[in-house]
Amino acid sequence: METSRIREFKSLSLAALLMAGAALAACSGDDNIVEEQPANPAQHTYTMTVEATKGGDAAATRALALDGKTLNATWQTTDEVAVYNYTQQAALEGHLSPQSDGASATLTGSLTGSVAVDDIIFLRWPSVDADYTGQDGTLATIAQRYDYTTGTAKVTSVDGTTIGAEDSSPSGGPVLFTNNQAIVKFTLIDKATGSPINATQLTIDAKFNGESRLIQSITYPDVYTLGPITIDRTTPADNVIYAALPFSSQAKFTFALTATDGTNTYTYEKAGVTMLNGRYYEVKVKMTNSQATPLTFEAKEAGASVTFKTYTGSTVSAPEYSIDGSNWTHYTWGTAITLANVGDKVMFRGDNATYAASSGTDAVSTFTCDKDCYVYGNVMSLVSSTSYESATTLTAGSTFRRLFYRNTHLLNHPTKPIVLPATTLADNCYFSMFEGCSGLTKAPTLPATTMKLGCYMQMFSEAGIAVAPALPATTLAQSCYEMMFYECPNLTMPPGLPATKLETLCYAAMFALWPNL
């Protein structure tokens, strides 16, 4: 997330006008104005009246109606429009309200402040600062809370306590309002099965050169926050989600979605996407189930090599690897696979119940990367090469002990998660799995509710995770969480611990040497 300064309120509003055009169409795929002002301009109370229009489907306030592929917009008399005098860099107290419902209306109201002929003023609805967080995926809620719209006007007359204004364009006339966000209808589909994804949560981001171009919030006139927007649905009835998405530029960005239905996590990513504020889009998104993705390493840095080593005397069968997800080749333990270009991938699958001996500190199998790599996908592909998508049971102890031990080049992919779906665990199954992985900032989801001996012991010790995973287990075991977050420098809040019956050493040194606790 990034917080930035918008140097000119006018540039934000005019950019929205230029990008929107004159219609909220269906789609599938400045110079400063500077005048010398008195040091303390006189403050008066005025009655301001201005004609305003949506320009057909140009933008929307609280009344949004979908007619086929056209999103119609109208004023409501309960709307409150804020007024900002850009020329004098000051907000006017009070607001304007439509005198009738409809696409066109007369806005009028009482304002207090300083106004002069030829001043450029901005009108915005709602009258509060813009905040796009907390959406629930419905068009009705967008209409009520998130359909921010602005217009630019020029003061044409100040007659006593009466202000007249018209659109700031050369042609004048009614002030044309345009919305400051795109409205997008997402239909989510499982790419492999064609089934609808009734997501409980959808996270949306649009990045350019690695930085988000989505606006999460605006504090008028000149502060905005960039970052992904998450939509939560408590009781999803279908796979259709509406979103209000404000873009801070017209760049071709990488569009990324992550959805969950409470059981599975789905991802989608597409480069070269352009969406414009003031437009309505309908998008069918075919998403990949993360559980259907085998354990994958992807080069963030060109020339990265991935190596899988096992221990002396190991009886673990060598896995297979693939660089395209279709053709699989027998892997020779200890062979470095070089990913020549950024974005190149290597996937692994195997059929071993465990990759470590039940005893012996170094009797483990471990992945290493010599340059930065993303890791994601389902770790169960190492347990069952053909049925990992549905595999949730670990049967042998120390299954993934030290699997990524002290791999400092291991990174979270921006949208594709590491998946640890096992709900039936084994003794020491994740022991020190990510210990010392300082580049790992987000922990995978841990769904198991019944623990086994040492199952999470030292799992994230000295790792870089910033947010602890939820720990829903209510049945504990000896040393199950021992040293789990030992010396994690980036964590600031412990997870909830719902268990009411404890076991020997179950929480021993769980948060020891945690500097931010």
Side-chain angles (χ1 to χ4, degrees), residues 198-273:
N198 292 356
T200 56
Q201 186 180 81
L202 176 66
T203 297
I204 306 160
D205 204 358
K207 292 189 175 183
F208 180 73
N209 287 339
E211 296 184 356
S212 180
R213 309 310 301 172
L214 277 182
I215 299 174
Q216 288 183 333
S217 62
I218 305 170
T219 302
Y220 292 104
D222 60 359
V223 180
Y224 66 94
T225 300
L226 299 178
I229 291 173
T230 296
I231 296 172
D232 289 297
R233 305 198 300 173
T234 54
T235 55
D238 55 30
N239 62 330
V240 175
I241 295 178
Y242 289 92
L245 304 178
F247 299 97
S248 63
S249 76
Q250 299 186 53
K252 290 185 180 296
F253 46 77
T254 298
F255 200 67
L257 304 178
T258 302
T260 180
D261 60 7
T263 301
N264 299 305
T265 299
Y266 300 85
T267 60
Y268 172 85
E269 187 173 295
K270 185 176 182 180
V273 175

Side-chain angles (χ1 to χ4, degrees), residues 447-509:
T449 57
T450 298
M451 299 290 94
K452 292 288 186 176
L453 171 70
C455 56
Y456 294 156
M457 188 173 179
Q458 295 178 227
M459 187 176 185
F460 301 107
S461 177
E462 300 178 57
I465 60 171
V467 178
L471 299 177
T474 53
T475 302
L476 304 188
Q478 181 178 336
S479 299
C480 59
Y481 294 130
E482 185 174 349
M483 299 177 71
M484 186 177 185
F485 303 106
Y486 179 87
E487 200 170 357
C488 287
N490 299 328
L491 280 172
T492 56
M493 183 176 294
L497 300 172
T500 56
K501 183 180 178 180
L502 306 186
E503 298 293 339
T504 303
L505 298 174
C506 61
Y507 296 145

Side-chain angles (χ1 to χ4, degrees), residues 349-373:
R349 70 182 188 185
D351 292 288
N352 295 292
T354 182
Y355 282 80
S358 59
S359 61
T361 301
D362 296 321
V364 296
S365 303
T366 303
F367 283 102
T368 60
C369 307
D370 65 351
K371 294 182 180 180
D372 285 356
C373 286

Side-chain angles (χ1 to χ4, degrees), residues 23-75:
L24 187 61
C27 300
S28 56
D30 298 305
D31 292 335
N32 288 326
I33 299 175
V34 180
E35 292 183 8
E36 290 189 9
Q37 299 294 329
N40 296 293
Q43 304 288 301
H44 298 288
T45 297
Y46 302 93
T47 298
M48 180 175 180
T49 300
V50 61
E51 298 300 319
T53 181
K54 299 300 181 185
D57 298 332
T61 62
R62 286 194 292 177
L64 285 178
L66 187 59
D67 179 14
K69 291 188 176 181
T70 300
L71 193 63
N72 298 308
T74 58
W75 290 106

Side-chain angles (χ1 to χ4, degrees), residues 246-383:
F247 299 97
S248 63
S249 76
Q250 299 186 53
K252 290 185 180 296
F253 46 77
T254 298
F255 200 67
L257 304 178
T258 302
T260 180
D261 60 7
T263 301
N264 299 305
T265 299
Y266 300 85
T267 60
Y268 172 85
E269 187 173 295
K270 185 176 182 180
V273 175
T274 297
M275 285 187 176
L276 304 180
N277 295 333
R279 301 284 183 90
Y280 171 68
Y281 298 84
E282 293 185 350
V283 184
K284 285 187 177 181
V285 185
K286 295 181 179 180
M287 306 188 75
T288 300
N289 187 340
S290 294
Q291 285 193 204
T293 302
L295 181 65
T296 302
F297 295 84
E298 178 181 327
K300 185 176 187 293
E301 188 176 351
S305 291
V306 178
T307 305
F308 197 11
K309 298 178 181 179
T310 194
Y311 55 97
T312 302
S314 171
T315 59
V316 178
S317 299
E320 295 180 310
Y321 74 96
S322 174
I323 59 174
D324 60 9
S326 298
N327 300 295
W328 293 86
T329 302
H330 177 80
Y331 179 74
T332 300
W333 288 111
T335 301
I337 298 176
T338 300
L339 307 176
N341 305 303
V342 173
D344 284 356
K345 306 177 184 68
V346 59
M347 291 155 262
F348 290 88
R349 70 182 188 185
D351 292 288
N352 295 292
T354 182
Y355 282 80
S358 59
S359 61
T361 301
D362 296 321
V364 296
S365 303
T366 303
F367 283 102
T368 60
C369 307
D370 65 351
K371 294 182 180 180
D372 285 356
C373 286
Y374 296 121
V375 63
Y376 54 87
N378 192 345
V379 73
M380 297 298 282
S381 69
L382 297 177
V383 173

